[in-house]
Amino acid sequence: MLKKITLYCCFTFLSISAYSQSKLYQIFTKEGQLIEEKAFYQTLNEKEVIFFGELHNNSVAHWLQLQILKSLKSNENEIILAGEFFERDDQLNINEWLEGRITDKNFEAEAKLWNNYATDYKPLMLFAKENKIPVVASNIPRKYASVVSREGLKSLESFSEEAKKSIAPLPIEVDMSLPGYQGMKEMMHGSSMNVDFMVEAQAIKDATMAFSLFEHIGKGKTIFHVNGSYHSNNYEGIIWYLRKEFEDAGIVTIATVEQNDTKALEEKSKGIADFIIVLPSDSPKSY
């Protein structure tokens, strides 16, 4: 009887796994080849820096982030969780919460949380806390990015040294010819705002997120960085700034896209990352 139950449970688990892989999401290589999850996770466990380019409101993508974090932990990697969803000047709040020195209520009242924090990012944070995984707030404070979007990068030079601790060292290089930045300019064509300043605001976010990881690279740790896909697609954005400082770092990128049909990767998404996770267009959204 026990043998029958065990076989039934195994069959059910395999059926659910097969269903989720074939119906809920698919993982492809950059060439558009379907890849088994085992091979996907194995590759991630071999890299030093993993960038998960998310669709901010896709609940399935956030669930997958948690599964990756669990996989990294199960392989006894020394992990660092880092993310765009926290700004650098919240690092003290994060550290105090991870250490159990302040309550959830105090932390969530004082930190600058995204609207979908409770549903999409808190599970990652709770897992990190339970497993003593350091968390790095990598993003530039929004107020400084906003200044750049209105007045350009040079405006940051006049801020205090204390403020600059939350920003990548200035001045930063901005390659306006990068396709991602060119795409931004094209999308904003006709806007009343200064398009170059908007690109510079994007660049200072990218540069700051990259800079936030510098001190942890080359220390034998696995860095799992969560960010919007646009910040890492096509190996630009954060990756471009990271490669300038650490040319040989072992990096792997993940992009998430939505398609009506998940059976094959659409041509336009090939090559945007090392792995592309295709999610159904009607998958659950948190907002």
Side-chain angles (χ1 to χ4, degrees):
M1 183 66 180
L2 180 59
K3 186 176 180 180
K4 288 182 178 179
I5 293 172
T6 302
L7 287 171
Y8 175 77
C9 290
C10 289
F11 178 77
T12 302
F13 174 78
L14 289 171
S15 297
I16 292 171
S17 297
Y19 178 83
S20 66
Q21 176 70 331
S22 63
K23 298 294 184 181
L24 187 56
Y25 63 91
Q26 301 275 29
I27 306 174
F28 295 88
T29 65
K30 61 184 175 183
E31 294 84 13
Q33 298 298 314
L34 190 66
I35 185 171
E36 294 292 333
E37 288 195 68
K38 183 178 180 181
F40 169 71
Y41 282 109
Q42 182 177 342
T43 301
L44 299 188
N45 277 286
E46 294 169 352
K47 297 297 183 178
E48 182 178 12
V49 192
I50 303 162
F51 287 95
F52 192 113
E54 67 180 23
L55 302 172
H56 291 314
N57 68 344
N58 191 295
S59 300
V60 180
H62 291 292
W63 176 82
L64 282 166
Q65 290 166 355
L66 183 59
Q67 305 320 302
I68 290 172
L69 196 59
K70 288 179 177 179
S71 173
L72 295 173
K73 180 61 180 177
S74 69
N75 279 271
E76 299 185 353
N77 297 6
E78 189 174 355
I79 312 162
I80 292 173
L81 172 63
E84 176 190 8
F85 56 95
F86 276 120
E87 298 170 14
R88 281 173 59 88
D89 55 357
D90 265 328
Q91 191 64 58
L92 180 60
N93 282 326
I94 292 168
N95 293 346
E96 290 173 340
W97 178 77
L98 290 172
E99 294 165 3
R101 295 180 178 274
I102 60 174
T103 65
D104 284 18
K105 183 178 180 180
N106 289 144
F107 170 65
E108 293 177 14
E110 295 189 26
K112 298 185 292 298
L113 304 179
W114 288 10
N115 291 337
N116 58 328
Y117 172 79
T119 54
D120 294 341
Y121 301 105
K122 190 171 182 177
L124 289 171
M125 295 295 288
L126 290 173
F127 185 82
K129 186 175 184 179
E130 290 165 6
N131 291 277
K132 302 187 185 312
I133 297 171
V135 177
V136 173
S138 66
N139 206 0
I140 184 174
R142 184 174 298 182
K143 59 185 178 181
Y144 301 139
S146 180
V147 169
V148 175
S149 71
R150 298 191 308 271
E151 303 174 23
L153 267 172
K154 289 185 178 180
S155 62
L156 294 180
E157 297 284 1
S158 61
F159 277 79
S160 68
E161 292 306 309
E162 184 65 25
K164 290 176 184 176
K165 291 178 182 177
S166 297
I167 305 169
L170 300 170
I172 67 162
E173 179 184 353
V174 181
D175 186 348
M176 290 285 186
S177 69
L178 289 174
Y181 294 159
Q182 282 291 313
M184 280 189 67
K185 293 180 75 169
E186 289 170 11
M187 283 189 292
M188 297 185 63
H189 181 70
S191 170
S192 59
M193 301 187 72
N194 186 308
V195 177
D196 284 346
F197 288 174
M198 293 300 293
V199 172
E200 288 182 355
Q202 179 80 357
I204 194 62
K205 292 178 184 179
D206 292 333
T208 299
M209 284 189 270
F211 173 71
S212 299
L213 307 181
F214 286 1
E215 65 178 289
H216 306 290
I217 295 176
K219 305 290 178 62
K221 301 176 181 180
T222 300
I223 303 167
F224 182 46
H225 190 275
V226 172
N227 53 266
S229 284
Y230 205 83
H231 289 289
S232 54
N233 276 0
N234 300 303
Y235 310 97
E236 296 178 21
I238 307 169
I239 317 298
W240 190 84
Y241 284 101
L242 191 65
R243 285 291 189 207
K244 283 175 62 66
E245 190 73 18
F246 297 95
E247 185 178 356
D248 299 322
I251 296 172
V252 62
T253 61
I254 302 165
T256 46
V257 299
E258 292 180 347
Q259 297 179 185
N260 292 330
D261 184 352
T262 64
K263 293 177 183 176
L265 182 65
E266 292 178 358
E267 199 66 32
K268 65 181 180 181
S269 296
K270 290 181 180 179
I272 64 173
D274 294 307
F275 297 106
I276 301 95
I277 300 175
V278 177
L279 306 164
S281 299
D282 61 353
S283 53
K285 306 294 194 300
S286 53
Y287 62 89

